[in-house]
Amino acid sequence: MRKNIIAGNWKMNKTPQESTQLVEETLQLLAKENIGETIVIFCPPFIALERVAGLVKGKKNIFAAAQNCHWEKSGAYTGEVSAAMIKAAGAAYVIIGHSERRLYFNETNEQLAKKVNAVLAEGLQPIYCCGEPLEVREANKHFELVAQQIKEGLFHLSKDDFSKVVIAYEPVWAIGTGKVASDEQAQEIHAYIRKLITEKYDAATAANTTIQYGGSMKPSNAKGLMSQPDVDGGLIGGAALVAADFVGIIKSA
Ligand code: PEP
């Protein structure tokens, strides 16, 4: 059965030294809690990835992730980082297609499909992001857009490969804005994503897929969102930068 996964996406925040501090503080707080089978992931900037992976190495259900990767194995791609390098740094997951990458770096579903392939080829797990901007929701076209993002980015995968994918539904209008989707809005679209997976693969694959919610999740709203039957954890931005808040969310999973 699928697991709840709480991943903290630090974006372009924290130096290597600050990363050590944040992970150590979070681990100290976590040590006092019983978080059951919940998986916790830290997603620092590349420059701190190896260090963070070292800090969580061997800890049950705690992992490091990269925030992006290139689809090629190596070569003349100045400024890029390959999945093989991420694996060598000790990470287990890679965020693919975050809305900030789609928006500011023009990443397309076609490119994201190649990134997903590269991540899986290294034995890592992609956290594939989808979600609609405000104008798309207002036009009531969010189901259509999310379906397109999932189909074009993921549905070329075999059932076996798809079973390693984590999906993060993140309405763009809720990311970093303080405007959170209601519990019902989150449940509605998560159930829809699960239905798409059932139609493409089968009910067992859909039931085993972790679908996180992301967008202004905080300790105060985490419980309501994550108690929805199809919401399996969260991808957390701002609140992951404060150890007590991140742990507060993890405890709600
Ligand atoms: C994110 O960056 O994925 C995110 C959900 O950010 P925030 O929690 O700050 O809205």
Side-chain angles (χ1 to χ4, degrees), residues 8 12 15 20 33 61 106 121 129 150 171 179 184 208-209 215 229 241:
M12 197 172 70
T15 63
T20 298
E33 307 293 340
N61 287 342
N106 302 316
C129 301
I150 302 257
K179 280 187 209 149
E184 295 72 27
N208 283 325
T209 303
L241 298 172

Side-chain angles (χ1 to χ4, degrees), residues 9 11 98 100 170 174-176 214-217 235-238:
N9 172 19
K11 313 191 186 194
H98 190 279
E100 289 151 16
E170 300 203 297
I175 296 179
S216 295
M217 198 186 266
L235 182 54
I236 323 296

